[in-house]
Amino acid sequence: MNIENNNQSNPIEAAGFLHEALRIAANQVKQISDQLGTVHSLQGLTLAFTNWVTVLIFNMAQQENYIEPSLRDALSKEDSNKEQKNSSIILALSRVGRQEQMSKIEDVFSILYSEIGDTSLITRTTQHLQRQILDMEIAQTNHLETQDLLIIPILANRMDSVDQLSLLKNILIDEQSDDRRWIVDWISEHSNPSSKSALAEIESQLADM
């Protein structure tokens, strides 16, 4: 999927900017965790992890509240039993992916704030934390692949551009926050110049809605 070239005709594909930023954030957390054997403070890891998870949890909430209902509506027009079965599988994959990620997030938080807390790092605990972060990254990767390869293409094919923009606005704009653009700013911080330019164009379209 070429996000930068396709988002004008299929705006929902711009969700890929968020997905790529989440992958970058996950990799940054993993790199920091891999250095725990040479540092004695969890401050950097905790900050990066919290930053990543804040966006990840918001994204999963928006998927549950907006993406999946839109997907369910798009798939409700399937006629054959086989198509209906496939639709149920896709929806189940999305739901299970979210549940798995939440479980992995809880596992990492448990280690950071229960097993470690204010005590010093020991090798066994460090390795446990690194494994759980890796598991969390894998869970996110699998879920985002489901979004990118199955769900987003269905929405792009079955929704008109106006409805796609409305859905995208719910993904990128936090109407409940004093800083409604914090997600956009976060994505921009984790994007290359070309993606930043394309994201700015998409945001200008959202502002007109």
Side-chain angles (χ1 to χ4, degrees):
M1 182 189 302
N2 191 327
I3 306 169
E4 294 169 10
N5 292 335
N6 292 345
N7 58 44
Q8 290 187 343
S9 57
N10 290 312
I12 192 60
E13 293 184 350
F17 291 124
L18 173 55
H19 297 173
E20 184 58 28
L22 284 167
R23 292 185 180 97
I24 291 171
N27 186 58
Q28 290 173 344
V29 170
K30 183 177 178 298
Q31 289 180 354
I32 295 172
S33 74
D34 288 343
Q35 301 300 315
L36 286 180
T38 61
V39 299
H40 302 287
S41 173
L42 283 171
Q43 183 176 359
L45 175 62
T46 302
L47 180 62
F49 178 76
T50 303
N51 184 280
W52 170 30
V53 167
T54 299
V55 178
L56 183 57
I57 290 176
F58 174 83
N59 182 48
M60 287 191 290
Q62 302 309 87
Q63 287 176 5
E64 182 178 10
N65 294 330
Y66 299 102
I67 292 284
E68 289 180 14
S70 297
L71 178 65
R72 192 174 293 109
D73 182 63
L75 294 173
S76 66
K77 302 176 178 61
E78 301 289 6
D79 296 326
S80 71
N81 290 334
K82 181 179 180 180
E83 289 174 331
Q84 291 176 4
K85 183 176 180 180
N86 290 340
S87 300
S88 297
I89 292 173
I90 293 171
L91 285 165
L93 282 172
S94 181
R95 183 175 62 255
V96 169
R98 283 190 292 100
Q99 293 171 346
E100 182 181 12
Q101 286 182 98
M102 284 304 305
S103 175
K104 299 302 182 185
I105 290 171
E106 291 170 2
D107 288 344
V108 176
F109 269 124
S110 176
I111 299 171
L112 283 175
Y113 296 106
S114 297
E115 291 189 26
I116 298 177
D118 296 326
T119 63
S120 60
L121 286 170
I122 61 175
T123 300
R124 184 177 61 185
T125 305
T126 298
Q127 292 174 344
H128 186 196
L129 178 60
Q130 291 168 336
R131 285 196 301 271
Q132 292 300 328
I133 288 174
L134 177 60
D135 286 348
M136 184 175 157
E137 181 186 29
I138 292 171
Q140 175 184 267
T141 297
N142 291 338
H143 184 65
L144 292 180
E145 285 183 354
T146 298
Q147 295 287 317
D148 291 338
L149 299 179
L150 291 176
I151 295 175
I152 297 301
I154 291 173
L155 296 175
N157 289 331
R158 305 194 183 194
M159 297 176 69
D160 62 38
S161 60
V162 174
D163 287 340
Q164 288 184 45
L165 273 174
S166 179
L167 180 56
L168 184 64
K169 187 173 184 178
N170 287 319
I171 299 171
L172 300 181
I173 302 297
D174 185 358
E175 297 290 356
Q176 305 303 314
S177 173
D178 292 337
D179 181 9
R180 298 169 61 253
R181 296 183 62 261
W182 72 272
I183 289 288
V184 176
D185 289 337
W186 184 87
I187 297 172
S188 183
E189 291 172 1
H190 294 77
S191 299
N192 59 41
S194 179
S195 295
K196 287 181 182 180
S197 177
L199 183 63
E201 174 60 29
I202 282 291
E203 189 180 9
S204 70
Q205 296 179 48
L206 297 179
D208 295 334
M209 297 189 66

